[in-house]
Amino acid sequence: MSTVVRLETRGSVAVVCVDKPPVNALGRAVRDGLQQAFEQVRDDDGIRSAVLHCAGRTFVAGADIAEFDSGAFDGQLFHQTLDMIEGLDKPVVAAIHGTALGGGLELALACHSRVAVPDAKVGLPEVTLGLLPGAAGTQRLPRIAGASLGLDMIITGKPISAKRAQEAGIIDQVIKTDLLEGAIAVAENLAAQDAPVRRISEMQVDPATVPASLFDDARATLQRRPTGNPAPERIIQCVEAAVKLPFAEGVPVEARLFRECLNSRESAALRHRFFAEREAAKVPGLPKDVQLRDIRRVGVVGAGTMGGGIAMNFANAGLPVTLVEASQEALDRGLAIVRDNYDTTAAKGRLTESQVEERMALLQGSLDDADLGDCDLVIEAVFENMDIKRQVLARLGKACKPGAIIASNTSTLDVDALAQASGRPADVLGMHFFSPANVMRLLEVVRGAETAPEVLATVMRLARGIGKVPVVSGVCYGFIGNRMLEPYLRETEFLLMEGATPAQVDGAIQSLGLAMGPCRMIDLAGVDVAAKVVQENRKAGGLPDDPAYRAVVQKLMAMGRHGQKTKAGYYRYENRKPVDDPEVMQLCADLAKEHGISRRDDISDQEIIERCLYPLINEGARILEEGISYRPGDIDTVWINGYGFPDWLGGPMFWADTVGVQNVADRLAHYAEHRGDAHAYWDRSALLERMVSQGLRFADWPFSDR
Ligand code: 3HC
Ligand code: NAI
C-alpha cells in the first residue's frame, strides 16, 4: 500500500488522498500510489464513485521538477494512469484547494468533474520552466476551456482564480463550505444519475469558437518579443493540434514537443533558476529553532527614489510604515511620488481607488526620529555617503526600541562600519533593494560580521512575505551584483576606447539575451550616479592605479551628459531612442590617445561578449571563494532578478558551465596575453584555477564535499 496516497471509503465513495508534503508533487511514489488507488476503485464493486483530494496546503502543484534532471520522470506511465482514471465508468471528482498547477491540473482534467474552494487557483505554468504541459494538458485544457483561453493560460503560464475557472468551465462548482464533504456529495450525485461520465478527451473544440487568426497572432507576438525559451512556439503547435486533431493524435504531438523542450539546455537553465531562487532563501548554519522577531511596523529613513519605493513594498503587504525625512519639503515630495505611483497603477486598473487610499493611509510621514520608536524594523535610505550614513545609524541606534532591526539600503558602503556606528551591531544588516524598489524582485540581504542569526532569519522571511527574492551576501564592496558589474563596465569602457561604439557593445550583449547592454543601462541609471560610484571607490582605495579605468564615464559626467534624463549620455536620445553620437566616439578616441590605448577596427561581437562577461564570471568565482556568496545559484539569482540576465541562460555561473569553465579560463589567459595584464585585470581566480585543474563545473558546488 502506498505511503503517500491513501484510499478510504465513505459508503460507496472512494476518497483518495494524496499526502506528500510540501506541495504534493507528482514524484514516482505519488504516481505509483495514484495508479494503485484507482485500480482499486476500478476493481472494487462496492465503489460507485471517487473523490481525489490532497492533504496539506495545496492540491498537486505539478510534476516533481527534480525528477526532470534525475531522469526519474516517466511521462508515458503517467499518461497511462491518467487515461485509466478518465477511462473509468465510475465518476471521479477532483477536489481542489490551494493551487492545482501543471501535472496537478492535468490530473484534475483527467477526472470527470472538478470542484474547488473559492481561493483556489489553477494553471499550467510549465512554460516558466521552459516546458509545455506534458500530461495531455495542451490537449485537454483547450477542449474544456476553449482554444483562446487554453492557449493564453499555457503560453503565459499564469494561473487563474477558481471563479474565472468556473466561468470557463474548467471547474464545475465552487464550494464555500467543507470541500471534501461537498466533493463527496457531488460524486454521490453523479453516481446516482447513472449517466455516462464526461471525458474531456472525447470532447472537441468547436471550430466556430476559434478566432481565425489566433495562432498567427500568437506567432507574431512571439516574433515581436523573441525569447530563448523553447516552449512558447511549441505550445502554439500543441494547441493547434488540439483544435485540429483527434485527442489520440494530438497527444503524440505533445509528447514529442515536450521531450524536445525537456532535453533543451534552456529548460535545464530555467529549472535551475526555479530551485536556485528557493535555495537562496535558505541560510546555511542558522540554528533550526531560531526565534524570529515580529515585524508589525516598519520605519524608512529618507523618502527619495529608493525610500519611497521601499515603503510601498510594506504598505502593499498591509504593514504600516513611518517615513522619516530631513525636511518637510522632501517628505511632501516623497509622499507625492508614492501617491503618483499608486495612481498610475490604479489608472491601469490594477488597483481600486479605495485600495490606493488604504495603502496611502498606512504611510505616516514624520520629521522626528522619535516616531520610529514603535517600529520593529527601520531601513535607512539616505544619501550614499559614509559620514551621513554613520550619523543616521548612530541616531537610529538610540531611537529604535530594543529588539528592533536596523537595516541600511547602501549599495556599496561597508555594512560592518555602519553596524558599529549604531552601537548595536547585532541588530544591523544590509537590505539592498534595487530600483524601482517597489517593482524589482531582488533583495540582497547583507550579513554583517556581528549580525544576529535571528535578525538575518527574520529579514529573509519578511523578504519573501513582501514578494522579494532574497539572496544573502557577505560584506564587500558592491556586494554580489555591483561587485561583479565592475569588471563588466571596465571592459565596456576599454572596448569603447579601442573603437567599438556603444550600439555595438550593447548589441553584442543584447544578442545574448540580456535585457539591456551596459551603455543603455548606465544611461538609464544615470551617468552621474555611476561616475560617483567610481569616484567613491577610488577614494576608498578600491581601484587599480590605472588612469584609464572607467575614464569614459568620468568624462561624460563632466560634460553634463548624465544619461537619458539629460537626453545624452553614452548615446544621444532622439525621441527617447538611443543613437550613437559622433561626439562620444570622438571623446573615446581622444581618451584612447591620452592613455596610449591602440585603436582597432576588428572588434567582434564574440570579443565583446567574452571581454565583458568572462571577467564578471571570474569575479563571481572570487565571491564564492571568499565566502561572500554561499552558492553559484545565489549569484545566478542575483543576476536574473536584479540585472536582466536571461533566465533561460540560467544566470552567469550556469552559463559559464554551458560555455565551459575551461573555455572561460582559456579566454581570460588569451586576453591577458593580447591586451596586457599590468593591472591584473585578467588574473584568474584561485577557484577558477582549481575548477580547471580538477575538471569541476559550478553545478558541482560545493566542491569541498568531493
Ligand atoms: N516539484 C518539486 N518541488 C517543488 C515543486 C515541484 N513541482 N513545487 C514546489 N516544490 C518545492 C520547492 O522547491 C520548495 O522546496 P523547499 O522547501 O525545499 O525549498 C517547496 O516545494 C515549497 O515551494 P515554495 O517555496 O515555492 O512554496 P510556495 O508556497 O511559495 O509556492 C507553489 C507553492 C505555488 C506550488 C510553488 O512552489 C510553485 O509554483 N511550484 C511549481 C509549480 C509548477 O511549476 N508546476 C509545474 C511543474 S512541471 C509539470 O507539471 C510537467 C507536467 O506537465 C508533466
Ligand atoms: P535620493 O537622493 O533620491 O534620496 C535620499 C533621501 O534621503 C533624500 O530625500 C534626502 O532628503 C533624505 N535624507 C538625507 N539625509 C537624511 C537624514 N539625515 N534623515 C532623513 N532623510 C535624509 O537617494 P536614493 O537614490 O534614494 O538612494 C538612497 C540610498 O539607496 C543610497 O544609499 C543608495 O546608494 C541606495 N540605492 C540607490 C539605488 C538607486 O538606483 N537610486 C539602488 C539601490 C540602492
Side-chain angles (χ1 to χ4, degrees), residues 465-482:
I466 58 169
K468 296 291 173 196
V469 178
V471 178
V472 178
S473 169
V475 176
C476 67
Y477 174 83
F479 316 126
I480 297 173
N482 284 346

Side-chain angles (χ1 to χ4, degrees), residues 376-442:
D376 306 295
L377 162 71
V378 177
I379 305 167
E380 73 75 18
V382 305
F383 303 130
E384 185 78 348
N385 173 294
M386 194 47 151
D387 293 338
I388 298 181
K389 283 210 197 273
R390 263 196 235 263
Q391 285 165 23
V392 169
L393 264 288
R395 270 168 37 198
L396 292 181
K398 294 198 184 77
C400 295
K401 65 183 178 189
I405 297 174
I406 303 174
S408 169
N409 181 47
T410 178
S411 29
T412 53
L413 299 175
D414 182 346
V415 171
D416 285 330
L418 295 173
Q420 290 305 329
S422 75
R424 41 195 278 194
D427 289 332
V428 178
L429 43 53
M431 286 177 78
H432 183 211
F433 288 84
F434 285 68
S435 183
N438 55 317
V439 176
M440 296 291 284
R441 294 179 72 220
L442 179 64

Side-chain angles (χ1 to χ4, degrees), residues 22-23 25 57 61-66 68 73 99 101-103 106 125-126 129 131-135 258 274-275 278 282 464:
V23 296
R57 67 206 227 210
D64 182 343
I65 300 165
F68 294 137
F73 178 73
T99 44
L101 299 177
E106 291 173 299
E126 284 86 343
L129 301 164
L131 296 172
L132 50 88
F258 176 80
F274 177 85
F275 287 117
R278 282 158 179 82
K282 300 189 178 95
R464 290 204 73 184

